[in-house]
């Protein structure tokens, strides 16, 4: 799925679709594409600003702390639970504070980069044949011109 730009398509739907139902399907599919797939999760980290990625960890931190308080976990491994609904909420809304800046200009930067990459990939598939073209996700990242003039703390 990553080789066909599916992850980018679903991110674009999350940012642009007016349909709550379609966004719901796309967030579920995005979760399936990224779940336990380090390479896809890394791609997501190159596409979204670190402040947006951090909202995925909120639920995991809370559930891990509650589990540690509630019982003896020993050496059992615990699967990370990511907060996809919060990511969707943050992608669609505006936030301008000291921890995160995300607004219509940032969404525009993301949409433009996703559309350009998808269009380039689709053009290559039409030119060379659908089965001969594989998307090289390792070379893709999104730059946010809207955030270039902002003061950055940390990464």
């Amino acid at each position: 799925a990553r080789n066909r730009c599916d992850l980018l398509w679903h991110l674009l739907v999350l940012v642009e679709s007016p349909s709550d139902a379609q966004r719901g399907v796309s967030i579920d599919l995005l979760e399936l594409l990224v779940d336990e797939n380090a390479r896809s999760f890394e791609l997501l980290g190159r596409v979204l600003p670190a402040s947006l990625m951090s909202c995925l960890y909120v639920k995991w931190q809370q559930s891990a702390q509650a589990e540690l308080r509630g019982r003896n976990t020993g050496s059992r491994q615990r699967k990370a639970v990511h907060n996809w609904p919060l990511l969707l909420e943050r992608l669609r809304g505006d936030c301008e504070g000291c921890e995160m800046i995300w607004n219509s200009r940032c969404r525009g930067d993301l949409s433009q980069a996703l559309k350009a990459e998808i269009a380039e990939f689709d053009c290559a598939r039409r030119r060379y044949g659908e089965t001969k073209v594989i998307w090289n996700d390792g070379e893709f990242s999104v730059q946010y011109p809207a955030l270039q003039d902002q003061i950055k703390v940390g990464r």
Side-chain angles (χ1 to χ4, degrees), residues 3 7 10 22 25 33 42-43 53 61 67-68 79 83 90 96 105 119-120 147 155:
N3 293 340
L7 195 141
H10 290 293
Q22 183 59 54
V25 168
L33 290 170
E42 288 169 12
L43 171 60
M53 287 294 291
Q61 290 171 346
E67 188 172 325
L68 287 173
K79 180 180 171 185
N83 196 343
R90 296 272 170 88
E96 296 200 24
R105 289 182 56 215
E120 186 176 331
L147 297 176
R155 306 184 267 163

Side-chain angles (χ1 to χ4, degrees), residues 9-26 88 91-92 107 111 115:
W9 271 110
H10 290 293
L11 275 173
L12 187 59
V13 168
L14 293 177
V15 173
E16 291 199 342
S17 177
S19 167
D20 288 340
Q22 183 59 54
R23 285 194 311 270
V25 168
S26 284
L88 176 58
L91 273 172
R92 300 288 297 175
R107 279 189 297 282
S111 290
K115 287 177 182 176

Side-chain angles (χ1 to χ4, degrees), residues 28-88:
D28 290 343
L29 290 172
L30 185 67
E31 182 177 2
L32 289 172
L33 290 170
V34 174
D35 188 40
E36 295 185 19
N37 187 322
R39 194 164 153 200
S40 291
F41 201 79
E42 288 169 12
L43 171 60
L44 194 61
R46 290 191 310 272
V47 171
L48 298 176
S51 57
L52 273 178
M53 287 294 291
S54 68
C55 72
L56 284 174
Y57 301 106
V58 172
K59 187 174 184 179
W60 180 82
Q61 290 171 346
Q62 291 170 349
S63 66
Q65 289 170 354
E67 188 172 325
L68 287 173
R69 280 192 305 268
R71 54 188 163 160
N72 182 6
T73 60
S75 61
R76 241 180 0 171
Q77 289 193 351
R78 186 173 34 256
K79 180 180 171 185
V81 177
H82 295 106
N83 196 343
W84 294 100
L86 180 59
L87 176 65
L88 176 58

Side-chain angles (χ1 to χ4, degrees), residues 84-140:
W84 294 100
L86 180 59
L87 176 65
L88 176 58
E89 178 184 321
R90 296 272 170 88
L91 273 172
R92 300 288 297 175
D94 287 353
C95 182
E96 296 200 24
C98 62
E99 293 180 1
M100 180 169 72
I101 296 174
W102 186 255
N103 53 35
S104 61
R105 289 182 56 215
C106 297
R107 279 189 297 282
D109 291 343
L110 176 59
S111 290
Q112 184 178 10
L114 294 174
K115 287 177 182 176
E117 188 71 11
I118 290 167
E120 186 176 331
F121 179 69
D122 286 344
C123 181
R125 287 189 340 179
R126 284 190 303 274
R127 183 173 183 190
Y128 299 107
E130 198 162 313
T131 59
K132 294 181 179 181
V133 177
I134 296 175
W135 181 57
N136 186 354
D137 63 276
E139 295 180 358
F140 182 69

